[in-house]
Amino acid sequence: MQTTIRFIVNRLLKMLFTIWLVTTIIFFLIRLMPSNPIDRYIETQMVQYGLGAEEAKAQASFLFSMDLDQSLLEQYGAYLLKVIQLDFGNSLLSPGVPVMSIIAERLPWTLFTVGSGLLLSFVIGISAGALLAYRRDRWYEPVVSGVSSFLSSIPDFLIAIFLLILFGVVTWGGGNPILPIDMLRGNYSIGVTPGWNLAFLTDAFVHGLLPILTYAISQVGIWVLLMKGSTISTLSADYVTLAKVRGIKPRRILTAYVGRNALLPISTEFAMRLGFIIGGSLIIEQLFVYQGIGLELLKATSGQDYPLMQGIFLIMTIAIVVSSFLAEIFYAVLDPRIKATKGAIT
Amino acid sequence: MKNLLEVHHLSKDFQHKRQPPVSILQEIQLQLGKGQTLCVVGESGCGKTTLGRVLAGLLPATTGTYSFLGKDVTRLSKKEKKEFRRDVQLIHQNPYESLNPTTMVFDILANPLRKHKKMKTIAELYPEVTRLLELVGLTPVSDFVDKYPSHLSGGQRQRVSIARVLAMDPKLIVVDEATSMIDTSLRINLLKTLQEIQERTNVSYFFITHDLALGRYFAQNQQLMVMYLGKIIEKGQTEELIGQPLHPYTKAILSAAAGNKGLLDESSEFETYVLGGTDIPSFTQIPQGCPLHPRCPQKIEGLCDRLRPPEIESTTGHYVACHLYRKSDSPL
Amino acid sequence: METTPLLEIENLSISFKTKRGYLKAVNDASLVIHEHESVALIGESGCGKTTLSTAIVDILPLGARVTEGEILYKQSDGNTVDLLTLKKKKFRTLLWSQIAMMFQASQSSFNPVKKVRMDFIDAAKAHHPRMTEKEILKKSEKLLTLVMLDAERVLNAYPHELSGGMKQRALLALALLLEPKLVILDEPTTALDLLTQEKVVALLNELKEEFSFSYLFVTHDLSIVSELADRVVTMYAGRIIETAPVASFFQQPKHPYSRGLIDAMPKLALEQGELVSIPGTPPDLIEQTSGCPFAPRCHRKSSLCTEQMPPMTTSQDSQHEYACWHPYLGV
Amino acid sequence: MTQPAVFQTISQSSKWKKTLVQARYAIFHDVSGFIGFVILALICILSVISPWVFPVDSASNAAAILQPPSTEHILGTDHLGRDIFAQIANGGRDLLVMALITATLGIFLGVILGAFSAIIGGKVDSLLLLLADVWLSIPRLPLLVVLSAFITLNSVTFAVLLAILSWAGLYRTIRAEVLSLKERPFIEAAFMQDLSLSHIVFKEIAPNLIGFIAINYTLLMKATIYAQVGLVFLGILPLEQNWGVMINQAWTQGVIYNPDSIVYILAPTLMICLLIVSLVWVGKSLEDVFHPSLRK
């Protein structure tokens, strides 16, 4: 029990340390870099609009939600305090709108597409992987493995381009492409009101279809290969062989003996990936013009909306850190061996 | 004759993070002369491998003294340290792990020669490598020099390990279960090779094994000692120890080994001696007093469970750590 | 001796597909296990003994295939079936309830993420679906106590919480759960300490008396053979080369290889005989030769040996069977 | 002393022969590896010869915009009327060179840090490990995007930056590998023989790492190409002549939605896929070849 608590506390501290470090790096970038955005802003205001130094500074303070009259250390302290409250100030591009509310609006869409895509690929991938492990002597084993290795290698945005062409551009002999691609931009069609009704949900699904498919296809290969490897090593474990010798039915062996043990190491990978794909959503969302957090980051970057940029970047980091934290805890809960102390010396 | 190595009151503790130290070796006393063999027998987890590693200089002792050729190993000058390093060698248990898979047999043997005998060219090295391989019975030599370890069988690999050790001209070789992974039909040959090498080079062996019969074979007319839970509980001349075992634990393992062999070992008549309990306690819970007392059928209440038995010399050169053999006049 | 055969392996051959070609791990092996008999299958690493034993319970590794032969098993209802051609479903009902097996590395024989009790329950439920958990656990407790374990503790522990010796004994209890007719033990004592070994051997003998089943145990360790076996079967390079009752196996081995093995065992006795190793190394099983596989290492070989595989011959006292042109026939 | 035949097998010339045998084995021993080698070789050859054989005509030709494939233009023309095939033939060079630079730098960094950390151990090791863990939790692509707002990237700074950014993953894998190697008895045996530290590192440990480094090298090249093409597509990296730029152009010009000029976008996309997959397969094949237990 004590080791479990120590384990959790340990991971928690590491998580906080990571978030703190990233925050600090961002503060450094925004505030201390030579030609950092705040100094640049003040300069621009003074040179272009002829504002006085104090006035420009006051404006910058307001815009970046930082009190520039304070010492750097105080600014840093105040900044950290705000970050803890998830207050990243206001967006520069849409003045007066808090960064957090933009994130709150965009993040669910990314989570929705990335999450569904990942889930879809996971379900298909582990089923196929387990099947391949069982049917290692069939002709399709090398074929499926090869395709999986191919899919897991190529960049996800290239898959997105293929899908775009396949569904949205090529007419396949008919008059129109399969999907009306320009109607599918954005998260949902104009005129549909968001809410828990069928019309909206269907619409949201259709709009998210291509991103979801992209995530699913680009991840599925990895799951197949991971699950295949994991299952093969589990299948050769003594306890599985012994289960067979005990005359236990194949289905029971698959679920109680092979399944759980093979899935264990992979389940952590699932949580980790969730965090990382959110980071990788930038290009996909740009390609499909999907209004998620990735697209917002790109907009913020090109528009030099620093508060928004740092907010989104921090949220993405937190997503990764939290999901890998959860993954480790999850693993520890599922695998009784983790809790055992390793103290034996021979 | 001066002993090659002398060990007095040597103890070794291991400490795991935030846990109390665990004593793996306690009050070890031993001597070994030049060209002699000392065999240590014990069940897995009795500390015999740790003892071997301490003697080989791979682990420092926690307390006690260890002197090699009359010099305290902990207080060697830099040059002496280098000499000690070369004089004491170790043969690992697992021949599949102890040879670098990316190095040819030739280079495995040539590397130490290049370093220590300043041989450079192949013309210089080749005769020496040939000599070493012939010494360990890997003939014809040309079949082996250009092989990678993965092409050799377990027995052949173990021979290469021995040859590599011999390239250092050691004075002491710690042999850690070197034959336990070798097939029965090949095992004796390997041991014979080791014995022949001893006759030729006057090297000493510290031979570690869990197999009493094997130890008894290898240490004929030499010294044998038995370990239990980090302590030497009995030691003496091999035939004497096997013929007249004193410690209840020695009696028990002899009885078990002989009983198991039955038909194989007809002429042997060993007293049947059974200990209570089944499992060795872990090092974190070593019983107070004599470590064997919870399992010992002859334990003396109030003595064995409180006082650690001292080392008693029952007959000349035959030592036992057991209260049963306490001389009446010796203090408690 | 009036005995009925329980398991008869006839002319069994098993091949492995490897990159270099087919490896004949078991070559034309025939073997009988009678009821209430304990048979030791001995040989060194790579001789095919484990492959042979796993073929009986149909758990050959991927790439291995039975190319020839049959494994006849006499069911408790008196009918004899060939295990190799038996339907999978039917075969499953025989497993564990009639043929149980214990592996060499019992360290990982229990499902690591489940408590030990689940392995007992699963085994029982697979064959007696109507048995309640309570009944199963009660029986398990009895058996665990029999093998000198704290039943309560073991059933509620995860496998990693038990020591090697404890797992070995728990597995033994698991093997006995359905009162099988035949128990196959693959290196039952290899991973154990000497004293634990002695206890397990004694236990195995007691259990055999009590439950009257047959053992087939596979080992490279001759020292426990004399304690456990009624009959010894020696394998070399995939072939069975000698079969003999245990006493005469040790006293008058006929095959030079069997003799070599016995001579190479260090003894405890004070008058040490000269120990001799068998020269050379076991052959490569991919390059099959027509002669006796042991010939290259044998000091009694003649030109006949390298040309022709000796047939299985029965000795005059009909105790030994051996495959050798030049056996030790003197007393 | 007569010099036996075996003497020859250890001599230098035969070592070369062995290397040759090994190289042949590397290329031919498995199907996907072989395909990978062929594709990679073709792309390399194309990259080297195309400036002379298929020069890019940068002048626009308003008369031949977005033409479908024809005998004159095998893959058609782009929105400025330039030949697509010439662009494809020349578009891999930059990507490959950059990937090579980044992977070399990155591997160097990873091996040095990982090996150092594993061999030194103690506090330094724990600290580096913690840093690597933290570093790995920072999303790479968003970080690059954010950094681009502060630093103007060009190909060289980008290559260096990417190499530095990838230190953590490599560090971790190489550290783990060296740690497990360090525990192997043959390293202890080398220590017992009093061989020098440099001998142990370069002659005992390093040869066992080659296969591992090979696969990581190709994986790092793959990651570089991904990041490079991705950032070019997003318009964050300055445009030069490569396949990523072609995709970016097709995208920004809206050509992507023109069903008649699918080749324009498909060709560079396919080329990138081929390059990356060939890298992965070559890496796997090399890993097998250098695997110690499979030595010929």
Side-chain angles (χ1 to χ4, degrees):
Chain A
M1 200 59 220
Q2 208 184 0
T3 45
T4 318
I5 292 171
R6 193 179 291 146
F7 174 77
I8 293 176
V9 169
N10 191 330
R11 293 303 127 118
L12 212 62
L13 284 178
K14 200 151 113 188
M15 183 169 94
L16 291 176
F17 176 73
T18 312
I19 295 173
W20 167 80
L21 193 80
V22 172
T23 326
T24 308
I25 291 172
I26 292 173
F27 179 80
F28 176 84
L29 280 176
I30 292 186
R31 198 65 201 89
L32 294 176
M33 280 259 297
S35 87
N36 63 68
I38 295 187
D39 289 350
R40 228 161 43 208
Y41 179 83
I42 295 175
E43 243 167 65
T44 323
Q45 294 298 310
M46 284 161 66
V47 175
Q48 282 192 351
Y49 304 101
L51 292 181
E54 283 305 308
E55 212 174 330
K57 209 171 172 180
Q59 245 187 37
S61 292
F62 174 73
L63 265 178
F64 288 86
S65 318
M66 273 183 198
D67 190 349
L68 299 178
D69 291 328
Q70 287 177 324
S71 70
L72 270 175
L73 209 64
E74 281 171 320
Q75 285 179 35
Y76 176 59
Y79 177 76
L80 277 186
L81 208 67
K82 278 189 176 170
V83 168
I84 290 169
Q85 300 159 356
L86 287 178
D87 173 6
F88 303 114
N90 290 339
S91 159
L92 299 186
L93 287 175
S94 355
V97 183
V99 165
M100 212 41 221
S101 73
I102 297 179
I103 292 175
E105 194 193 325
R106 297 288 175 227
L107 188 61
W109 294 105
T110 301
L111 284 179
F112 162 63
T113 45
V114 167
S116 336
L118 195 60
L119 207 64
L120 192 66
S121 67
F122 187 72
V123 172
I124 296 172
I126 59 158
S127 323
L131 186 83
L132 287 191
Y134 266 94
R135 303 265 183 269
R136 256 171 298 165
D137 41 0
R138 301 296 168 87
W139 62 268
Y140 53 78
E141 192 276 325
V143 177
V144 179
S145 296
V147 170
S148 303
S149 134
F150 184 83
L151 284 181
S152 65
S153 305
I154 54 177
D156 47 5
F157 54 85
L158 297 187
I159 293 173
I161 292 177
F162 284 127
L163 288 179
L164 201 64
I165 294 173
L166 216 60
F167 288 112
V169 181
V170 180
T171 50
W172 302 109
N176 287 312
I178 298 168
L179 291 173
I181 202 77
D182 17 322
M183 310 276 285
L184 290 182
R185 293 180 180 177
N187 302 340
Y188 48 89
S189 309
I190 304 158
V192 179
T193 32
W196 292 109
N197 54 64
L198 192 67
F200 170 72
L201 289 179
T202 337
D203 191 58
F205 244 110
V206 173
H207 278 260
L209 186 65
L210 286 180
I212 292 174
L213 263 181
T214 306
Y215 297 129
I217 293 174
S218 64
Q219 299 297 316
V220 75
I222 292 169
W223 297 127
V224 173
L225 296 179
L226 281 177
M227 187 65 184
K228 188 181 118 190
S230 180
T231 310
I232 286 175
S233 65
T234 313
L235 277 176
S236 63
D238 278 343
Y239 55 84
V240 174
T241 319
L242 199 76
K244 279 186 216 157
V245 178
R246 271 184 286 160
I248 294 169
K249 293 196 178 71
R251 188 180 299 168
R252 172 85 186 143
I253 295 180
L254 183 68
T255 52
Y257 291 82
V258 182
R260 183 155 165 198
N261 284 293
L263 264 178
L264 253 182
I266 297 181
S267 55
T268 52
E269 191 77 10
F270 181 81
M272 306 272 208
R273 294 225 153 234
L274 184 68
F276 278 101
I277 306 174
I278 291 175
S281 65
L282 291 130
I283 310 177
I284 311 296
E285 289 180 359
Q286 163 93 325
L287 259 168
F288 293 117
V289 200
Y290 194 80
Q291 310 281 344
I293 196 121
L295 190 62
E296 203 61 38
L297 178 61
L298 286 174
K299 275 197 228 157
T301 311
S302 56
Q304 308 217 315
D305 188 343
Y306 295 98
L308 187 56
M309 263 166 62
Q310 47 142 315
I312 293 176
F313 183 63
L314 206 58
I315 287 291
M316 283 177 165
T317 312
I318 291 173
I320 292 175
V321 179
V322 171
S323 56
S324 49
F325 170 73
L326 290 179
E328 285 191 64
I329 301 293
F330 183 62
Y331 194 93
V333 169
L334 280 185
D335 192 340
R337 281 164 295 187
I338 300 286
K339 286 170 210 144
T341 42
K342 296 172 205 149
I345 308 154
T346 43
Chain B
M1 195 181 80
K2 205 171 182 188
N3 277 328
L4 181 70
L5 89 145
E6 296 256 358
V7 170
H8 290 292
H9 304 288
L10 184 141
S11 298
K12 174 73 193 165
D13 295 347
F14 278 108
Q15 186 152 19
H16 230 62
K17 275 184 207 162
R18 290 190 216 106
Q19 276 161 12
V22 180
S23 190
I24 302 293
L25 296 175
Q26 295 148 35
E27 294 285 315
I28 302 288
Q29 303 256 36
L30 55 89
Q31 295 93 30
L32 177 57
K34 274 181 197 158
Q36 301 199 321
T37 299
L38 174 59
C39 173
V40 55
V41 179
E43 298 180 81
S44 66
C46 73
K48 57 189 192 298
T49 294
T50 308
L51 179 56
R53 296 178 69 80
V54 170
L55 295 185
L58 289 166
L59 289 171
T62 311
T63 55
T65 57
Y66 169 24
S67 48
F68 187 82
L69 285 169
K71 285 174 193 146
D72 186 343
V73 169
T74 51
R75 285 193 215 115
L76 295 177
S77 68
K78 213 170 176 183
K79 190 168 157 262
E80 285 169 333
K81 233 181 212 157
K82 262 195 166 359
E83 267 168 31
F84 171 73
R85 178 76 290 125
R86 288 174 210 179
D87 283 347
V88 185
Q89 291 295 316
L90 179 126
I91 297 170
H92 285 92
Q93 170 177 14
N94 186 345
Y96 294 89
E97 282 285 305
S98 59
L99 301 178
N100 191 338
T102 59
T103 314
M104 261 191 250
V105 169
F106 181 86
D107 284 321
I108 289 175
L109 299 179
N111 282 336
L113 295 175
R114 285 189 187 113
K115 165 99 183 178
H116 301 299
K117 300 203 173 146
K118 306 279 175 244
M119 297 178 173
K120 293 235 163 53
T121 62
I122 290 180
E124 269 180 296
L125 286 163
Y126 195 80
E128 184 65 10
V129 169
T130 310
R131 185 184 75 84
L132 288 169
L133 285 175
E134 277 168 357
L135 206 57
V136 296
L138 287 178
T139 47
V141 169
S142 55
D143 280 0
F144 296 98
V145 274
D146 61 341
K147 290 269 164 46
Y148 285 103
S150 54
H151 298 141
L152 304 179
S153 72
Q156 290 167 341
R157 285 173 195 227
Q158 206 58 298
R159 284 172 191 271
V160 175
S161 293
I162 297 170
R164 176 175 63 187
V165 159
L166 292 177
M168 308 291 292
D169 294 332
K171 295 193 171 67
L172 168 69
I173 303 179
V174 176
V175 187
D176 188 357
E177 301 263 18
T179 59
S180 68
M181 296 180 81
I182 310 292
D183 274 333
T184 331
S185 69
L186 306 169
R187 193 175 286 166
I188 293 300
N189 251 346
L190 201 67
L191 293 180
K192 280 189 175 161
T193 304
L194 283 174
Q195 282 169 338
E196 280 162 27
I197 289 165
Q198 185 170 47
E199 273 161 32
R200 273 195 229 180
T201 61
N202 208 30
V203 66
S204 303
Y205 288 125
F206 185 75
F207 187 85
I208 300 170
T209 181
H210 67 279
D211 184 341
L212 201 54
L214 197 76
R216 188 238 175 288
Y217 170 77
F218 191 72
Q220 271 174 76
N221 303 316
Q222 301 278 348
Q223 298 285 307
L224 189 72
M225 63 186 209
V226 182
M227 274 182 87
Y228 181 73
L229 276 180
K231 284 197 69 172
I232 296 172
I233 51 133
E234 185 163 359
K235 75 177 173 219
Q237 203 263 342
T238 304
E239 282 71 19
E240 154 120 11
L241 195 145
I242 300 283
Q244 260 108 46
L246 297 175
H247 200 283
Y249 179 72
T250 316
K251 287 181 188 170
I253 56 172
L254 261 170
S255 153
N260 274 352
K261 290 198 194 309
L263 290 160
L264 191 61
D265 234 354
E266 310 161 60
S267 54
S268 59
E269 274 173 29
F270 293 99
E271 158 190 18
T272 310
Y273 198 98
V274 183
L275 290 180
T278 40
D279 293 320
I280 307 185
S282 91
F283 272 104
T284 49
Q285 297 151 354
I286 297 182
Q288 270 220 315
C290 172
L292 188 70
H293 84 259
R295 302 170 71 187
C296 181
Q298 281 177 281
K299 84 167 165 209
I300 306 164
E301 288 292 344
L303 182 62
C304 294
D305 50 359
R306 284 193 308 117
L307 275 184
R308 187 175 277 198
E311 195 176 77
I312 297 156
E313 184 165 8
S314 103
T315 52
T316 318
H318 191 161
Y319 296 87
V320 60
C322 179
H323 287 302
L324 291 172
Y325 303 93
R326 188 171 55 89
K327 305 249 164 58
S328 52
D329 54 338
S330 64
L332 271 178
Chain C
M1 215 172 6
E2 286 286 313
T3 46
T4 36
L6 180 68
L7 186 87
E8 286 179 87
I9 296 174
E10 279 174 15
N11 308 97
L12 188 73
S13 292
I14 300 169
S15 283
F16 275 89
K17 200 175 163 182
T18 69
K19 275 192 180 153
R20 293 189 296 137
Y22 282 93
L23 183 153
K24 222 165 190 186
V26 176
N27 198 340
D28 196 19
S30 299
L31 168 69
V32 185
I33 302 168
H34 296 97
E35 278 178 11
H36 320 310
E37 190 190 29
S38 164
V39 175
L41 185 59
I42 62 166
E44 295 176 292
S45 56
C47 74
K49 56 188 195 301
T50 298
T51 311
L52 179 68
S53 65
T54 50
I56 300 172
V57 287
D58 188 30
I59 47 168
L60 284 174
L62 203 80
R65 211 165 53 81
V66 174
T67 51
E68 226 190 311
E70 42 192 18
I71 303 176
L72 301 174
Y73 176 75
K74 186 169 151 274
Q75 285 175 278
S76 38
D77 58 12
N79 289 332
T80 301
V81 287
D82 180 2
L83 296 181
L84 292 173
T85 53
L86 200 61
K87 286 232 166 60
K88 285 219 160 182
K89 233 178 179 170
K90 187 81 188 42
F91 186 46
R92 246 191 353 254
T93 60
L94 285 182
L95 286 172
W96 218 255
S97 63
Q98 301 210 18
I99 306 174
M101 184 169 186
M102 214 169 120
F103 293 135
Q104 122 164 248
S106 53
Q107 307 315 321
S108 55
S109 287
F110 290 99
N111 192 347
V113 296
K114 295 258 164 86
K115 286 185 176 165
V116 172
R117 60 194 299 166
M118 278 315 292
D119 290 81
F120 281 83
I121 293 171
D122 269 358
K125 288 246 171 180
H127 299 278
H128 307 286
R130 262 170 295 172
M131 217 167 156
T132 64
E133 245 171 68
K134 217 171 161 188
E135 282 169 350
I136 299 168
L137 288 179
K138 209 171 146 201
K139 193 160 182 203
S140 312
E141 272 169 33
K142 220 176 93 193
L143 286 166
L144 284 167
T145 319
L146 199 68
V147 296
M148 298 176 298
L149 285 171
D150 177 354
E152 185 84 10
R153 209 198 119 200
V154 169
L155 284 175
N156 291 311
Y158 285 105
H160 71 262
E161 293 164 351
L162 304 177
S163 75
M166 287 164 94
K167 272 189 254 187
Q168 188 94 19
R169 277 173 280 151
L171 200 60
L172 200 55
L174 182 58
L176 303 181
L177 187 64
L178 304 175
E179 294 164 26
K181 291 293 217 191
L182 172 66
V183 182
I184 302 168
L185 304 140
D186 188 358
E187 303 276 5
T189 57
T190 302
L192 301 178
D193 283 321
L194 189 60
L195 290 178
T196 322
Q197 230 176 67
E198 190 200 13
K199 292 239 151 74
V200 170
V201 166
L203 191 63
L204 285 170
N205 274 329
E206 272 171 44
L207 293 170
K208 193 185 150 207
E209 290 303 308
E210 191 168 338
F211 292 90
S212 75
F213 41 57
S214 306
Y215 283 129
L216 170 65
F217 63 91
V218 176
T219 185
H220 71 272
D221 186 0
L222 281 184
S223 60
I224 64 155
V225 169
S226 65
E227 283 277 285
L228 269 171
D230 299 329
R231 210 149 47 85
V232 182
V233 176
T234 316
M235 267 187 101
Y236 185 78
R239 289 178 182 273
I240 288 179
I241 53 155
E242 180 161 10
T243 307
V246 66
S248 67
F249 170 79
F250 280 111
Q251 280 147 12
Q252 297 145 10
K254 303 280 189 239
H255 197 286
Y257 176 67
S258 307
R259 185 166 186 144
L261 276 185
I262 295 170
D263 285 347
M265 284 293 294
K267 324 270 186 307
L268 271 174
L270 289 180
E271 314 90 59
Q272 286 268 319
E274 176 68 1
L275 296 186
V276 211
S277 271
I278 306 170
T281 46
D284 184 344
L285 291 178
I286 290 173
E287 292 147 19
Q288 287 288 333
T289 49
S290 55
C292 171
F294 187 61
R297 300 173 71 188
C298 185
H299 65 281
R300 292 169 77 95
K301 68 157 180 276
S302 64
S303 58
L304 181 62
C305 298
T306 49
E307 283 158 17
Q308 216 177 330
M309 176 69 201
M312 215 53 175
T313 320
T314 310
S315 67
Q316 281 177 334
D317 56 2
S318 71
Q319 292 216 314
H320 282 256
E321 280 183 61
Y322 49 83
C324 183
W325 293 119
H326 309 289
Y328 289 93
L329 288 176
V331 179
Chain D
M1 177 137 195
T2 50
Q3 287 191 348
V6 147
F7 184 87
Q8 294 303 319
T9 64
I10 311 158
S11 66
Q12 203 57 41
S13 70
S14 82
K15 271 193 177 163
W16 281 110
K17 217 187 233 164
K18 276 202 167 177
T19 316
L20 216 76
V21 170
Q22 218 166 47
R24 208 171 59 201
Y25 178 73
I27 296 172
F28 292 106
H29 83 287
D30 95 342
V31 183
S32 62
F34 177 69
I35 297 173
F37 272 109
V38 170
I39 297 175
L40 196 61
L42 284 179
I43 292 178
C44 288
I45 292 169
L46 206 59
S47 299
V48 173
I49 61 163
S50 51
W52 295 280
V53 184
F54 311 108
V56 176
D57 182 11
S58 56
S60 53
N61 179 1
I65 288 175
L66 291 177
Q67 281 184 352
S70 62
T71 43
E72 195 185 345
H73 302 288
I74 307 172
L75 296 176
T77 56
D78 69 358
H79 61 287
L80 295 175
R82 298 171 302 188
D83 182 47
I84 293 177
F85 179 74
Q87 293 181 41
I88 289 289
N90 287 280
R93 193 165 41 245
D94 286 5
L95 287 177
L96 263 177
V97 171
M98 288 265 300
L100 278 172
I101 295 174
T102 309
T104 310
L105 273 176
I107 282 287
F108 189 70
L109 210 64
V111 170
I112 297 280
L113 280 173
F116 172 78
S117 186
I119 290 168
I120 295 263
K123 289 237 162 61
V124 181
D125 180 45
S126 326
L127 188 74
L128 273 172
L129 188 63
L130 176 72
L131 275 181
D133 271 352
V134 168
W135 196 258
L136 280 174
S137 331
I138 300 175
R140 190 116 48 99
L141 196 67
L143 181 63
L144 282 170
V145 170
V146 168
L147 279 180
S148 73
F150 298 96
I151 315 163
T152 27
L153 294 171
N154 61 39
S155 301
V156 179
T157 52
F158 176 73
V160 175
L161 190 66
L162 206 60
I164 294 171
L165 287 186
S166 15
W167 79 276
L170 278 169
Y171 158 82
R172 279 236 309 214
T173 44
I174 286 174
R175 174 184 171 273
E177 196 68 19
V178 174
L179 266 187
S180 82
L181 274 173
K182 206 176 89 171
E183 293 302 311
R184 303 265 295 272
F186 66 79
I187 298 298
E188 189 175 272
F191 174 72
M192 294 287 298
Q193 290 163 61
D194 202 20
L195 298 175
S196 62
L197 184 68
S198 69
H199 176 95
I200 293 179
V201 171
F202 293 107
K203 293 273 172 62
E204 306 283 342
I205 294 182
N208 283 287
L209 278 177
I210 291 179
F212 190 73
I213 289 176
I215 181 95
N216 277 292
Y217 192 87
T218 52
L219 287 180
L220 193 51
M221 281 179 81
K222 173 193 147 183
T224 311
I225 294 170
Y226 176 94
Q228 204 185 349
V229 173
L231 291 188
V232 165
F233 170 76
L234 292 175
I236 286 168
L237 266 186
L239 303 179
E240 278 161 51
Q241 181 59 56
N242 72 43
W243 297 325
V245 176
M246 291 175 70
I247 298 176
N248 172 284
Q249 296 278 304
W251 166 255
T252 48
Q253 299 302 320
V255 179
I256 191 171
Y257 297 115
N258 184 346
D260 296 328
S261 51
I262 285 170
V263 176
Y264 185 20
I265 187 137
L266 217 48
T269 315
L270 263 175
M271 290 309 285
I272 297 168
C273 287
L274 284 178
L275 176 58
I276 283 182
V277 170
S278 69
L279 278 174
V280 172
W281 284 349
V282 165
K284 276 195 189 137
S285 176
L286 285 177
E287 190 190 25
D288 284 353
V289 172
F290 289 116
H291 198 281
S293 66
L294 299 174
R295 292 239 154 185
K296 286 286 132 181

